[in-house]
Amino acid sequence: MAALGAPLRTFRALLRELRHAAGRSYRDTPAYRHVLAAFRAHRVTSEKLCRAQQELHFQAATYLCLLRSVREHEALHREYHGKGERSPQEVAGLVGFRLPQQPGGKG
C-alpha cells in the first residue's frame, strides 16, 4: 500500500463513501458514529501522543479501500451483468462499434 496521506483526508473520504452507501441519512448509521468516535479517540493532542494513531489510520484506509471497491464493483456489475439475449446492435454498442447499414434500407 502506498503512503497513507493525511488522516483528515482519509476521514473525509470515509464519510463520502458512507454517504454513497447509506444515502442522505448516513449520519444516523452506526458506522458513521463508530468512525467518528474512533477518529476522536485516536487523535493526537498536545498532552499525549497516541501510538495507535498510525494503526487506526491504516485500518481506516483499508476500510475506505473496501468501501470504494464494493461501490465500483456494484457499478460495474449493474453495467455489464447479463440481461438475457441481446440484439447484435446492442452488443456492438457495448464495445463501441456500429453495424454497417445495408443498401436499400434493410438495416
Side-chain angles (χ1 to χ4, degrees):
M1 188 173 193
L4 291 175
L8 183 60
R9 176 178 278 170
T10 303
F11 177 69
R12 287 180 178 166
L14 261 174
L15 295 184
R16 195 174 311 117
E17 289 300 323
L18 287 174
R19 192 177 318 124
H20 281 296
R24 296 180 70 88
S25 62
Y26 74 101
R27 290 186 178 190
D28 298 331
T29 62
Y32 172 79
R33 289 191 294 271
H34 175 72
V35 167
L36 191 64
F39 268 88
R40 283 184 178 159
H42 290 84
R43 67 181 171 202
V44 175
T45 64
S46 61
E47 298 173 6
K48 68 173 186 169
L49 175 65
C50 179
R51 293 184 183 182
Q53 182 191 18
Q54 293 298 330
E55 181 181 344
L56 173 77
H57 190 197
F58 181 76
Q59 288 176 351
T62 304
Y63 187 57
L64 173 62
C65 181
L66 171 74
L67 288 175
R68 279 184 183 158
S69 298
V70 167
R71 180 175 50 88
E72 291 171 2
H73 169 73
E74 288 175 355
L76 287 172
H77 184 74
R78 277 193 307 270
E79 184 173 349
Y80 293 108
H81 183 66
K83 298 174 184 159
E85 190 69 26
R86 295 184 183 193
S87 69
Q89 290 84 8
E90 286 179 303
V91 173
L94 280 176
V95 295
F97 293 121
R98 288 185 301 161
L99 293 178
Q101 298 292 324
Q102 293 184 356
K106 293 185 178 181

